[in-house]
Amino acid sequence: MKKYENTGSKDTRSGFGAGMTELGQKNENVVALCADLIGSLKFDDFKKNHPERFFQVGIAEANMIGIAAGLTIGGKIPFTGTFANFSTGRVYDQIRQSVAYSDKNVKICASHAGLTLGEDGATHQILEDIGLMKMLPGMTVINTCDYNQTKAATLALAEHHGPAYLRFGRPVVPNFTPADEPFVIGKAILLNEGTDVTIIATGHLVWEALVAAEALEAKGISAEVINIHTIKPLDEEAILKSVAKTGCVVTAEEHNFLGGLGESVARTLVVNHPAPQEFVAVKDSFGESGTPEQLMEKYGLNSTSIVAACEKVIARK
């Protein structure tokens, strides 16, 4: 088993901020738009260094998406920023019509996603955003696992033409991917080779999957761990290659099990290589107020739940 070391916990939104700072220096066509959440989205440095390319639209998310779509016509590369529930659910019509349908080069960047938003409660803990965005034709959907990967994804999106959704979070989480690891949109990363079960994880659940793999190894179970940072386009080749070897799969995500990564994997398997699958995800419910740790424990989004799901799915082979 390849060991991944936690080089220091950081919030993934700060990885986005670092990526924007670098893009501001490297690409004069990159512009940033924010809906009254500069500090939360870590736009401070970009705004300070490039005020002529920063647009504070206030609490007017639909207007922000419309402005961003318009800016692309002049060759700009707009990155919009607000909380995930405001980035998707509140402005879905504008995204569908002005960005996706029109194939505009807008990067919709969303912080504070999932249960780990914590104490702000269910109204802000959107667990449907991946499903909303992946159903839009032509939309790229990315969900990063740590600071380094979020920064790398932000840089990669500036070079990618087309509408995209980048999802990240507020809490500090282990930073374990190499800082110099290339980010290839649509290409899964094999973190650990195994033979008994495939664990396919995204976002904050990737680190939990690695912890689970170590716990399974102590039980004599060999787990293959795949980091799916790009949910659309999905790396079906990597998934099918792994499951052909292990014969079963567990998907893990901080999202509703309806419409998320797990469903995309299930569709891939049904069409190409049917195999037993278990889902580690929120079971069709809203969240609630609590610390991120409390909520991840209550809703079963941790390494313990992944281990249990692996043992269950292996028994179904």
Side-chain angles (χ1 to χ4, degrees):
M1 174 180 288
K2 182 177 180 180
K3 303 298 182 183
Y4 282 81
E5 299 294 335
N6 177 8
T7 59
S9 294
K10 297 181 178 181
D11 52 325
T12 50
R13 60 176 172 161
S14 288
F16 170 70
M20 289 303 298
T21 295
E22 187 168 329
L23 283 176
Q25 299 165 351
K26 293 169 56 175
N27 192 331
E28 64 181 13
N29 284 322
V30 168
V31 297
L33 301 90
C34 188
D36 202 34
L37 289 165
I38 295 172
S40 293
L41 269 292
K42 304 299 182 181
F43 273 136
D44 309 76
D45 284 347
F46 190 97
K47 178 187 176 184
K48 176 182 177 181
N49 296 323
H50 313 284
E52 76 287 357
R53 289 193 270 144
F54 181 84
F55 303 92
Q56 170 60 279
V57 302
I59 305 174
E61 293 86 359
N63 192 37
M64 178 174 69
I65 296 298
I67 294 171
L71 285 166
T72 66
I73 298 172
K76 300 304 180 183
I77 307 171
F79 283 70
T80 68
T82 184
F83 290 180
N85 59 333
F86 306 143
S87 286
T88 56
R90 178 170 288 182
V91 294
Y92 197 69
D93 180 64
Q94 285 74 24
I95 293 172
R96 184 183 188 274
Q97 308 295 72
S98 299
V99 176
Y101 176 70
S102 304
D103 191 34
K104 293 295 191 293
N105 192 31
V106 175
K107 317 307 176 184
I108 301 163
C109 304
S111 183
H112 295 58
L115 289 174
T116 48
L117 176 53
E119 292 84 351
D120 285 7
T123 57
H124 286 48
Q125 295 163 351
I126 193 163
L127 296 163
E128 315 90 60
D129 54 318
I130 289 173
L132 287 169
M133 301 307 283
K134 80 174 187 180
M135 286 190 293
L136 290 170
M139 181 69 70
T140 294
V141 180
I142 296 173
N143 185 37
T144 51
C145 66
D146 67 359
Y147 173 96
N148 286 341
Q149 191 171 80
T150 307
K151 179 181 179 182
T154 304
L155 297 174
L157 279 177
E159 303 298 322
H160 169 80
H161 184 81
Y165 178 59
L166 175 61
R167 184 195 210 235
F168 43 91
R170 179 175 73 174
V172 294
V173 293
N175 188 38
F176 59 96
T177 63
D180 59 350
E181 184 171 71
F183 188 92
V184 182
I185 295 172
K187 187 67 174 176
I189 300 174
L190 178 62
L191 299 180
N192 187 70
E193 293 189 16
T195 56
D196 296 326
V197 61
T198 299
I199 305 173
I200 298 174
T202 188
H204 293 148
L205 271 293
V206 175
W207 177 257
E208 296 296 324
L210 288 170
V211 174
E214 289 197 9
L216 289 165
E217 184 180 42
K219 296 185 176 189
I221 298 172
S222 175
E224 185 144 294
V225 179
I226 299 175
N227 174 4
I228 295 284
H229 52 68
T230 307
I231 294 170
K232 182 185 177 185
L234 187 67
D235 191 344
E236 295 187 349
E237 181 180 355
I239 293 167
L240 294 170
K241 179 180 178 181
S242 179
V243 176
K245 176 173 58 172
T246 65
C248 62
V249 61
V250 169
T251 51
E253 59 190 310
E254 189 185 348
H255 190 270
N256 194 341
F257 79 116
L258 299 173
L261 168 66
E263 277 202 351
S264 290
V265 171
R267 178 192 53 78
T268 299
L269 295 177
V270 166
V271 172
N272 297 282
H273 185 89
Q277 179 178 347
E278 291 291 330
F279 297 75
V280 173
V282 176
K283 303 301 191 290
D284 195 25
S285 74
F286 291 102
E288 61 186 288
S289 295
T291 67
E293 295 78 14
Q294 289 171 332
L295 294 170
M296 297 292 268
E297 173 72 23
K298 177 171 181 177
Y299 289 84
L301 306 184
N302 55 25
S303 61
T304 301
S305 296
I306 295 173
V307 168
C310 287
E311 293 175 331
K312 182 177 181 181
V313 80
I314 288 171
R316 292 174 54 202
K317 283 201 286 185

